[in-house]
Amino acid sequence: MTTIGFIGAGEVGSQLARAFIAQGYEVVMANSRGPETLRALVAELGPAARAATAAGAAEAGDFVIIAAPLRLVDDLPVAELAGKIVLDTNNYMPYRDGHFAVVDSGEKTVHELRQEQLPHSKVAKAFSHIQAPRLFLSASPPGTPGRHALSVSSDHPEAVELVTRLYDELGFDTVDNSPLRESWRSGPGQPAWYAHAHQTREQLTANLARARWAGYPFRG
Ligand SMILES: NC(=O)c1ccc[n+]([C@@H]2O[C@H](COP(=O)([O-])OP(=O)(O)OC[C@H]3O[C@@H](n4cnc5c(N)ncnc54)[C@H](OP(=O)(O)O)[C@@H]3O)[C@@H](O)[C@H]2O)c1
């Protein structure tokens, strides 16, 4: 049995947990307020789910999904995440997150910053350009004509390999948009982002290539 630790149990964390439980995974859910605030969600998710602190979820996970915005001063459980593959669903939304000067200037991507925050983990940008409800609505078996494709970015080939397998299990094709330096191509405001409702592997590949850097939108 594979256990997935979740740091972030909101819209995307809870929906990913539902999708992975349906595939036979166990999940350990964490948020910023503490496990006692996750009773209703864990009851809904059923016996394959439990709640923990963020450190507890990180420790329990064979791999971990961070489904929470990035903060520059962070409280992530760095030690418990060491040595693990960490999937990060985060999108930078300045109106919500504040402004990160190094990201606004194009010097770094938010996922490079996440990798810097977790120097002993293998970070992958994943599940970041699909709306939570579409994790079920857009899924289809391997080989389905026009199958919906998602991108992954990482500096670690084994993280890309894991995400590719997970996408396939959940019903999606993969386009590898590595390394993390290139991860802005699937970010807010880019063609791949606007086409999130449906894009095939070929369309996603073309949309990633069409990306142009003009700073992040949704500046607030
Ligand atoms: N919603 C989507 O469809 C979607 C799709 C793709 C990507 N994304 C991106 O994925 C991220 C999460 O989105 P969301 O819509 O799920 O947000 P959300 O509904 O607001 O949930 C955020 C979750 O993160 C938790 N959290 C925040 N900071 C934390 C910390 N330092 N430690 C532990 N837990 C923390 C929150 O806990 P508390 O509630 O206890 O504070 C909450 O459970 C965002 O960056 C978003 O842009 C969202």
Side-chain angles (χ1 to χ4, degrees), residues 126-188:
F127 294 107
S128 60
H129 64 105
I130 179 165
Q131 287 178 318
R134 291 194 178 276
L135 285 166
F136 283 100
L137 296 173
S138 299
S140 60
T144 302
R147 195 185 196 204
H148 191 125
L150 300 174
S151 71
V152 56
S153 301
S154 179
D155 296 344
H156 300 277
E158 55 270 59
V160 172
E161 206 174 294
L162 174 67
V163 172
T164 301
R165 179 163 61 75
L166 297 174
Y167 279 171
D168 196 47
E169 286 175 13
L170 263 51
F172 301 93
D173 282 344
T174 300
V175 175
D176 183 2
N177 179 43
S178 294
L180 289 177
R181 182 75 205 116
E182 297 300 318
S183 59
W184 62 273
R185 291 179 180 276
S186 60

Side-chain angles (χ1 to χ4, degrees), residues 15-125:
Q15 190 72 339
L16 276 170
R18 291 182 193 100
F20 278 114
I21 288 171
Q23 295 302 319
Y25 289 82
E26 287 190 341
V27 302
V28 179
M29 308 300 295
N31 63 7
S32 71
R33 287 165 293 151
E36 64 285 354
T37 65
L38 290 167
R39 276 199 205 106
L41 176 63
V42 165
E44 181 227 305
L45 292 174
R50 65 182 173 87
T53 61
E59 199 163 20
D62 294 299
F63 63 90
V64 176
I65 297 179
I66 299 179
L70 180 114
R71 292 186 217 153
L72 288 190
V73 179
D74 211 26
D75 54 357
L76 290 175
V78 178
E80 290 80 357
L81 290 170
K84 301 199 178 187
I85 294 176
V86 174
L87 279 46
D88 185 7
T89 75
N90 172 57
N91 283 304
Y92 173 45
M93 298 288 184
Y95 74 86
R96 179 195 66 194
D97 303 335
H99 288 275
F100 304 157
V102 289
V103 176
D104 289 336
S105 67
E107 190 185 325
K108 288 185 182 170
T109 65
V110 278
H111 291 84
E112 287 177 296
L113 292 181
R114 188 75 96 188
Q115 181 65 79
E116 285 178 8
Q117 289 179 343
L118 302 172
H120 309 299
S121 305
K122 295 167 185 166
V123 170
K125 178 180 185 180

